[in-house]
Structure formats: structure tokens, C-alpha cells
Amino acid sequence: MTSEEKLLEARPTIIQSEKGGTSIPQPEADQGRLARTLVTAAAPAGFFVLFMAGWYLVSYVIMTPRRRFLMPPPHEIIAEGFGKSDNLIQILTGLWQTTRVAFLGLVIAIAIGLVLATLMSQARWIENSVYPYAVVLQTVPIIALVPLIGLWFDYNFQARVIVSVIISLFPIITNTLFGLRSADSSHHDLFTLHGATRMTRLRKLMIPGSVPAMFTGFRISAGLSVIGAIVSDFFFRQGAPGIGRLLDIYRLNIQMEMLYVAIFWSSMLGVVMFWGFGMAGNLLTRKWHDASLAGG
Amino acid sequence: MADTRHDAVDTSAPVLQFRGVTKVFPDGTHALSDITFDVRRGEFVSIVGPSGCGKSTILRIASGLLPASRGDVNLADDNIGYVFQDATLLPWRTVRKNVELFGELHKVDKEELTRIAQDAIDLVGLTDFEDHHPRRLSGGMKMRVSLARSLTLNPGLFLFDEPFGALDEITRERLNEELLNLFLSENFGAVFITHSLYEAVYLSTRVIAMSPRPGRLIQEFEVPFKYPRRPELRFEPEFAELTGRVSAALRGGSQ
Ligand SMILES: Nc1ncnc2c1ncn2[C@@H]1O[C@H](COP(=O)(O)OP(=O)(O)OP(=O)(O)O)[C@@H](O)[C@H]1O
Ligand SMILES: [Mg+2]
């Protein structure tokens, strides 16, 4: 039986359920999905348990009591970072500061990146004139620029945002440009045959087709913008402290528990940004990428 | 009525005219050599020939996507349907929105377009699949969407580039029936490219055999069978005889 016939056979059910306004009931499929989710959750959970066990082992067995401060056991870190309100407020304030820098930096990078990529997709000469600079921006070790940017912009919020923009711009340009170029030549032929203008082609073919790649770029850049925010903060040592500054302070004061807490929060920030864009991208494109979503 | 159709071929101006068309690509590839043929409304012309002989190039030149190097191409009307082997649907659009695409590009009035698209969807038998995305359709259904999309503009000439080449035998035969029904009801002219001689003979009023590159027309075969054609026609001796002659011409041309 061909897949075509199967679909035709399945037709009455699909129509009924859609007329009823509900998605196709699929108890087995839902169970299967639940089981799969459990399995995919179980592996990282198992690893987490092992990791914690290993940590305690290092803290209590391998480290001598005198050197234990280098790797304090997890419960002490939690007590220090989450149990004491002063510490908690300090770190959350720093986190908020860093989040603002990273987020604003990312938004600006996205705006610039989308515009540049769109222009580059429209003419080779624009691509040829812009691309080398984008590459240079990417290959210059950003750390080397940080002091200069700090000096220019007075080590303030603005300066941090600029570092964040510079460090997160490149993946947005390259991925979006790749996405805009990804439309099949036969699709382009269709648009040519029907006299589509450059603008129509961009709006109805190239931009929608670039969405998956675009979001890949956003996701990568989200992580980078957090790095940019932390690095600039770490180097500037001035202005309202963010996580980067706190990392440095904790290191100098040998507040080892808090150092770990700061690492934890900055990772969480990166992870949340990465996932946020991943989910947004999936939501936008799931209907055309994921055949398994029968409910749609 | 349909029985007399073969005699009812429109003998006025052809919808497509090739006069001594030659194509040499910029890289020096000599793809086509002195191609001359006409297609009228109500004519279904299949082109068969070895891979790389320039069949797709003929369609690309006919549609205006490529210029000819030498010779004349005349189209009675710019409004043509072009159906590729790949259904070329936009994956982010539903069936309905895909079918509406060409109308949108030609700025057809919104309400009018909705109606035309629905008619085309009904005509190819995809009623109730309007809100599906291409991902959830089988290959045969995607090809139907592609057909429906071209039907919305009601073209006088259809160009088919191996539209069913990627489909399994059963689906392909069913779509052959449906295509013939469309041909009889819509009365367009068609140029149809296929690797299957059976498909070519079964569908066509005329079959053109081409030589290997640089592609030349070796021979034209009038297909005498009346429409509507029954699927059993494929197993009749006259059908086998004609298919055999086309096959022999192709073999002769490749020596
Ligand atoms: N843009 C191009 N530049 C150079 N050569 C080309 C170009 N397009 C096609 N050709 C060549 O022209 C010849 C004819 O190509 P065409 O695609 O028309 O063949 P075809 O008969 O459709 O083949 P198939 O049956 O495999 O689809 C081939 O040899 C091909 O390599
Ligand atoms: Mg071809």
C-alpha cells in the first residue's frame, strides 16, 4: 500500500476530528512521547547524580581539610549562595545588571545582523564589501578590544553593551545570510516565472525560508552576548557590578562558595537565553519541520 | 463529446512555437540543435529522450527562464503552468496558501483568489486538506497541490518536467488518469517530459523522440487512440506496437 493510499484511508478520521475542533486523539502516541521524554530526561539526571557524587568525593576524600575550600561541597555552596539573603541580593542584582547588558546587546546585534544579512543577500558587491569586516570582527580577539572600548565609553553600561554586540554579531549575519540563500533554485524559478519583484521574492520566499537558520544564529549569539556582558564587566572593574565584576571580587576575597554560585548563575543565564531562542524557533517552524505533530 | 476531441484540436494559432531553436550554454555545452515544433490548445505533446539530451532546457526556453541561442520561440500567452518533478511547495505555507501563491504574485483580488484556489483544490481532489502543511502530505498529494497551484491561473499551456518521475507506479498511474481528466476538462495545450514511454504514449496526442546531446528531434509519432482513454489501453497490442516504435527510434538515435 502506498503512503498515499494510507493517507486517503485515514482521511475520514482526520476530517471528523478536525470538524469536532479537537486534535486527533492519540493515546498511544502520547504515551510513547511521555516514555521518550522520561528516557531523555533520565540520562542527564543520572549524569547529574554521578557528577554530584564525584564532587562530594573530591571535596571530602581527595581534598585535605586544609584545601577543601578550593572545592567546597555543594550543600555549603547552596547554604552560602541561596541561604543568606545579603549574598542572594548581591548576586541577583549583579545578574540583573548582566542580563540587561546581554539582552540589549543581543537585540541590537540581531537588528544590525538582520539588516546587514538582508542587504548582503541582495547584491554580491554589498556582500563582498561587508563580509571581510564581519570576519575581521570575528577573528580579532575581543579581549584585546575591551580596554579600548572601556576607555572610549567611560566603562559604563553602554560600553558593556557594545562589547556584547560586537561579540554576538557574526553568527547572526552568517546564519541569516545562509538562510536567505537556502531557497531552492526551482523556487526562485517559480517567482521569476510569475514576475515577482525583488521585494516580493524577499518577503515571500527568502525571509520565510531563512527562519530556521536565523534562529540558529540567534541561539548561538544569545550565549555569546552573555559572554560579552561578563567579559566586559570583568575587565572594566568600574560601574555598576554585574556577574563578571562579582566573579572577580569573590576571587580576590577567596569567597569560594560565592564564586561557584556566580558561575552557576551566569551559566543559567546563558542556558535560558539559548533555550528561549531554541523554543521560539521551534514554535515558529514546527508545523513545517516536524511531521510527527499530528494535532497541528 | 470527448470522443471527438482528437479531431477538435484547435487548428488556429499554436500556443507554443519553436522554430530552429539552438542552445549553447556559456560554458560551451551544446544542448539543443535546431528544434522545431508546435503545440496547440487541446494537444498533449510528450518529449522523450536520453538523460541530458536537453528536454528540461526546451521547457526552460519555452517558459522564458532561459534565452535561446538561435531560433525563434513564440508563446501565444505568457500565462503558462510549469510543473517540476519536485512539487516545489513552500513548506511554511498550508496547502491553501501554497495554491494561492501564484494568484498573490499576480495581485489577484483576495476574495476572488480564495474562491479560485478552493475550486482548484477541489478539482485535484484535496478537499479537506487545505490546512495541512506539505510535510504531512504524501508525494502524490504534493504533486496534486503543485497542479492545483498552476490551475489557479487557468493557463492555456502547461509545461510538465517529469512531474511523476519520483512517484511509485500506482500513484503515478492514478495521477495519469487525473491529469487526462484535467486535460479534457480544461482544454490546455501541454508539453510533457517523461522517461516512461508508456506514460508518454498513454497521455499524448503526439510523442516526440529526441537524440542524445546535442538534442535534435528524431521523429514524431501521432498517437491515434481516442480520449477518454481507459487504463487497460496500456495492455493492448496497438499500444505495445506504438511504444515499440518509439523505443526503436530512440535506440536508433543513440547509435
Ligand atoms: N546552466 C547550464 N550550463 C551548462 N550546461 C547546462 C546547463 N543546464 C544544463 N546543461 C547541460 O545541458 C544538457 C541538457 O540538460 P537538460 O537538463 O536539459 O537535460 P534533460 O534532457 O532534461 O536531462 P534529464 O533527463 O536528466 O533531466 C546537459 O548535458 C546539461 O549538463
Ligand atoms: Mg531534465
Side-chain angles (χ1 to χ4, degrees):
Chain A
M1 190 188 271
T2 65
S3 54
E4 158 124 311
E5 279 170 318
K6 274 187 213 143
L7 252 163
L8 286 176
E9 239 180 42
R11 202 163 135 167
T13 7
I14 295 171
I15 295 162
Q16 267 173 14
S17 56
E18 285 189 353
K19 287 218 173 108
T22 52
S23 59
I24 303 162
Q26 286 181 308
E28 305 96 315
D30 280 352
Q31 266 172 22
R33 195 176 298 173
L34 189 67
R36 252 180 294 137
T37 315
L38 283 179
V39 170
T40 41
F47 182 78
F48 182 72
V49 170
L50 274 180
F51 181 74
M52 281 296 149
W55 191 321
Y56 274 108
L57 192 76
V58 175
S59 290
Y60 283 114
V61 182
I62 295 177
M63 295 286 188
T64 56
R66 220 164 55 79
R67 298 180 65 224
R68 186 163 299 146
F69 78 97
L70 285 174
M71 201 159 169
H75 63 270
E76 282 178 18
I77 295 174
I78 292 170
E80 192 72 17
F82 296 84
K84 297 184 178 164
S85 63
D86 283 1
N87 284 347
L88 192 61
I89 287 170
Q90 186 184 42
I91 196 112
L92 287 183
T93 313
L95 183 69
W96 172 235
Q97 188 66 18
T98 302
T99 307
R100 280 170 58 213
V101 172
F103 194 77
L104 188 60
L106 182 62
V107 167
I108 295 173
I110 287 177
I112 298 176
L114 292 188
V115 169
L116 282 181
T118 308
L119 288 176
M120 285 157 85
S121 76
Q122 292 302 297
R124 279 282 164 191
W125 69 265
I126 301 180
E127 182 183 354
N128 291 340
S129 27
V130 174
Y131 201 78
Y133 298 100
V135 172
V136 167
L137 206 60
Q138 178 67 6
T139 39
V140 166
I142 193 70
I143 308 276
L145 283 181
V146 170
L148 186 65
I149 294 171
L151 269 171
W152 281 353
F153 295 94
D154 208 19
Y155 304 102
N156 57 18
F157 181 75
Q158 223 179 327
R160 289 166 167 76
V161 172
I162 290 171
V163 173
S164 188
V165 170
I166 293 177
I167 212 169
S168 54
L169 186 57
F170 191 71
I172 297 173
I173 298 179
T174 46
N175 283 283
T176 306
L177 186 59
F178 173 78
L180 290 169
R181 291 254 160 84
S182 67
D184 287 350
S185 63
S186 50
H187 283 136
H188 277 289
D189 285 348
L190 285 182
F191 278 72
T192 308
L193 280 171
H194 294 280
T197 60
R198 188 179 273 264
M199 207 53 205
T200 310
R201 193 184 294 265
L202 188 63
R203 259 184 37 235
K204 299 201 179 208
L205 176 61
M206 295 167 73
I207 290 178
S210 75
V211 168
M214 208 187 270
F215 271 86
T216 304
F218 293 173
R219 224 168 42 179
I220 297 169
S221 294
L224 290 176
S225 71
V226 173
I227 293 177
I230 292 176
V231 165
S232 51
D233 197 46
F234 184 88
F235 271 86
F236 290 177
R237 296 185 185 175
Q238 294 179 40
I243 291 276
R245 186 85 183 289
L246 290 176
L247 281 169
D248 199 33
I249 292 170
Y250 295 147
R251 177 183 66 91
L252 289 171
N253 298 348
I254 322 183
Q255 286 176 276
M256 292 307 285
E257 289 86 358
M258 287 312 289
L259 191 55
Y260 279 98
V261 171
I263 293 172
F264 167 79
W265 281 116
S266 48
S267 319
M268 285 322 278
L269 180 54
V271 166
V272 166
M273 301 258 279
F274 190 85
W275 270 359
F277 278 103
M279 294 221 320
N282 285 344
L283 272 178
L284 270 174
T285 60
R286 69 187 175 131
K287 288 244 176 75
W288 39 295
H289 276 313
D290 191 352
S292 68
L293 284 160
Chain B
M1 180 198 89
D3 275 54
T4 60
R5 144 154 228 104
H6 193 58
D7 314 315
V9 167
D10 185 350
T11 48
S12 59
V15 278
L16 174 67
Q17 220 176 10
F18 266 55
R19 285 285 171 271
V21 170
T22 293
K23 179 71 192 176
V24 181
F25 283 104
D27 67 356
T29 308
H30 194 171
L32 294 175
S33 179
D34 193 23
I35 303 288
T36 298
F37 68 97
D38 287 350
V39 181
R40 287 161 208 283
R41 267 203 138 162
E43 264 193 314
F44 201 110
V45 178
S46 285
I47 299 179
V48 293
S51 184
C53 73
K55 303 182 295 294
S56 301
T57 305
I58 290 184
L59 296 195
R60 293 178 66 80
I61 291 175
S63 67
L65 283 174
L66 268 182
S69 307
R70 231 175 311 124
D72 290 318
V73 179
N74 283 312
L75 267 182
D77 180 2
D78 281 345
N79 183 8
I80 53 174
Y82 198 153
V83 180
F84 303 102
Q85 171 166 0
D86 178 36
T88 57
L89 305 180
L90 300 178
W92 53 89
R93 287 182 169 229
T94 59
V95 166
R96 186 197 311 281
K97 295 296 285 174
N98 263 294
V99 173
E100 288 179 356
L101 178 68
F102 293 172
E104 278 176 35
L105 296 181
H106 288 275
K107 309 252 174 348
V108 174
D109 170 70
K110 194 98 186 72
E111 256 170 55
E112 162 111 355
L113 183 54
T114 310
R115 194 179 51 72
I116 298 174
Q118 189 62 52
D119 287 349
I121 290 169
D122 295 344
L123 200 56
V124 299
L126 284 178
T127 319
D128 296 319
F129 287 91
E130 290 91 345
D131 296 323
H132 287 224
H133 281 80
R135 233 353 235 270
R136 289 168 62 194
L137 305 178
S138 68
M141 294 166 92
K142 282 184 201 157
M143 195 40 75
R144 291 198 178 118
V145 179
S146 179
L147 282 172
R149 182 175 61 183
S150 286
L151 285 167
T152 53
L153 298 179
N154 195 18
L157 172 69
F158 259 96
L159 308 174
F160 298 98
D161 197 344
E162 296 184 52
F164 310 140
L167 303 178
D168 63 274
E169 188 86 17
I170 297 166
T171 311
R172 185 175 187 148
E173 283 181 12
R174 187 186 297 164
L175 282 170
N176 280 343
E177 308 301 318
E178 292 178 8
L179 179 57
L180 276 189
N181 289 337
L182 286 176
F183 172 59
L184 294 182
S185 64
E186 308 298 309
N187 190 44
F188 45 75
V191 184
F192 190 93
I193 284 170
T194 176
H195 277 126
S196 160
L197 303 185
Y198 298 94
E199 189 174 58
V201 172
Y202 180 69
L203 294 173
S204 310
T205 52
R206 193 149 45 98
V207 177
I208 298 179
M210 282 181 73
S211 73
R213 207 181 74 203
R216 284 171 295 103
L217 306 189
I218 325 176
Q219 203 176 338
E220 296 199 12
F221 298 87
E222 291 292 330
V223 183
F225 312 117
K226 301 280 186 219
Y227 297 93
R229 295 179 180 169
R230 296 160 302 108
E232 298 76 44
L233 175 65
R234 293 190 185 89
F235 309 108
E236 284 171 15
E238 295 87 348
F239 187 92
E241 193 266 338
L242 181 53
T243 316
R245 280 202 288 136
V246 178
S247 173
L250 286 174
R251 267 178 283 124
S254 59
Q255 271 159 16

